[in-house]
Each structure stands twice: as C-alpha cells, then as structure tokens.
Amino acid sequence: MKGENKFCLTFAGAVGSSKTPISNYLSTRLLLPVFNNDAIRTEVIEDLGVLDSKEYLKRRDLRLEEIIKSGNSFIYDASVDRVWKKLKEKLTLFSYDFFIVSLDLSKELLTKLYQSKRYLIALKRIDELIQDHNNFLDQYLKDIGLQIKDGDFINRMQISYSGVKNYLERKNNIR
C-alpha cells in the first residue's frame, strides 16, 4: 500500500505483551511489511558479538527513515511507549496516518507471560515497564486506535485484525 493512503500500524505496551505475534499475524492478513526492532537488535549482536547500543540505534533509525521515505504502509513492530512523540512527528512529516494497538495488560497477566517465556530480566523490571506504558497512556490516549486488555488477550489476534480492518475501511471511505 503506497501513496496518499499510507499508514503505520504500531503498538504500545510493555515488553513481552504480544506485539510480535500480533504483528506477524496482521502482516500475513493485510500483506504489510514489518519493521521489527528486535531483529535489528539481534543483527547487531550477531555482527559484533555484543549489543552496541549506539550501533543498534544508528541502524534502527536509518532503516526506519528509509521505510518512511519509501511511502509504503508498514507495521512498526515495537512499543512506542517511550518514542511516540518523535515517531509521530516523523510520520506526520511524511504524511502518514497511524493506528496504535495498545496492549493494556495487568501486572498479573504480564507476570504469567514473562514466567512462561522466561523473560527473567523483564520480570525484574515489570513495575518500571508498566509505569512506562501508563505514562504513555496518560499522554497519548487520544492517539490509540484499539486497546486490548486482559479479558481480550486470548482473542487478541482477531480483535486486532478486526480493529485495523475497520480503521482501513473508514479511512478509505473518507478519502
């Protein structure tokens, strides 16, 4: 999807809240490319044998810039909790619309997810990660297109697809 109806589908939520599974599902259903933050982090570790934060940020920012300048719609598979102001400015500068799926999960559900995925470092930082997300919600609630909560989690794939599909139908009817 290229041109005037271009959009970025992205996520807000704590580490391990299911952004990547939803991204992959939506990518196949909507035929959209995925920009995956974690893949770039892994690439840097594989290339250098260690995570060099400066190199990671350099590669991430360069590739994101290339995608945005291409004018293609895409899925940004990363949490925008701490970077939304800057990303929103960039998307707006290049005339992108956006749709944010916010994963508003309780500490109890996140704890279960972290334990099952063995996210031990995230488990130690769970309160900080939840606070980052709550800060995002306090500031940017009006930018969110869809919120998924604990009760919706088991159906998150279909709920996300339906929400994005409805957004795209409304968007295309308005233009």
Side-chain angles (χ1 to χ4, degrees):
M1 296 180 185
K2 189 171 183 172
E4 73 178 51
N5 288 327
K6 62 190 174 191
F7 68 96
C8 173
L9 168 60
T10 192
F11 302 88
V15 168
S17 58
S18 199
K19 295 177 291 292
T20 296
I22 297 170
S23 292
N24 289 329
Y25 181 78
L26 294 176
S27 174
T28 58
R29 293 294 309 262
L30 300 170
L31 303 177
L32 287 172
V34 175
F35 175 85
N36 183 296
N37 228 17
D38 290 336
I40 296 169
R41 187 177 292 110
T42 298
E43 173 193 325
V44 170
I45 293 169
E46 290 173 350
D47 288 354
L48 305 178
V50 64
L51 177 60
D52 179 321
S53 295
K54 287 183 181 180
E55 182 62 22
Y56 157 70
L57 292 173
K58 179 179 141 187
R59 291 183 194 190
R60 181 200 68 187
D61 293 348
L62 178 64
R63 291 198 188 139
L64 183 58
E65 184 85 15
E66 289 170 353
I67 290 170
I68 290 173
K69 285 183 177 179
S70 77
N72 293 310
S73 294
F74 68 102
I75 297 172
Y76 183 77
D77 178 13
S79 178
V80 297
D81 286 358
R82 288 179 277 153
V83 299
W84 181 236
K85 181 179 180 183
K86 185 177 177 182
L87 179 59
K88 182 179 178 180
E89 288 171 0
K90 190 166 290 220
L91 292 170
T92 302
L93 178 66
F94 285 90
S95 303
Y96 274 81
D97 290 330
F98 56 85
F99 187 89
I100 300 173
V101 175
S102 184
L103 296 149
D104 307 336
L105 307 181
S106 69
K107 182 175 181 177
E108 292 74 26
L109 180 54
L110 282 173
T111 298
K112 287 179 187 176
L113 292 172
Y114 292 174
Q115 288 171 338
S116 67
K117 296 191 266 186
R118 300 182 200 261
Y119 282 17
L120 303 179
I121 295 172
L123 191 54
K124 291 178 184 176
R125 297 181 50 225
I126 195 167
D127 291 325
E128 174 191 344
L129 297 169
I130 290 170
Q131 188 58 53
D132 281 347
H133 184 61
N134 288 336
N135 291 343
F136 169 83
L137 292 173
D138 288 345
Q139 221 175 347
Y140 299 109
L141 187 61
K142 67 182 180 347
D143 288 344
I144 294 171
L146 175 68
Q147 289 181 282
I148 295 180
K149 299 186 184 283
D150 288 19
D152 305 322
F153 189 77
I154 195 73
N155 298 311
R156 66 198 177 283
M157 305 299 179
Q158 188 57 42
I159 291 169
S160 296
Y161 175 68
S162 294
V164 173
K165 188 176 172 202
N166 290 337
Y167 156 75
L168 292 173
E169 288 170 358
R170 285 191 314 271
K171 179 177 162 40
N172 290 329
N173 286 334
I174 291 172
R175 296 191 184 229

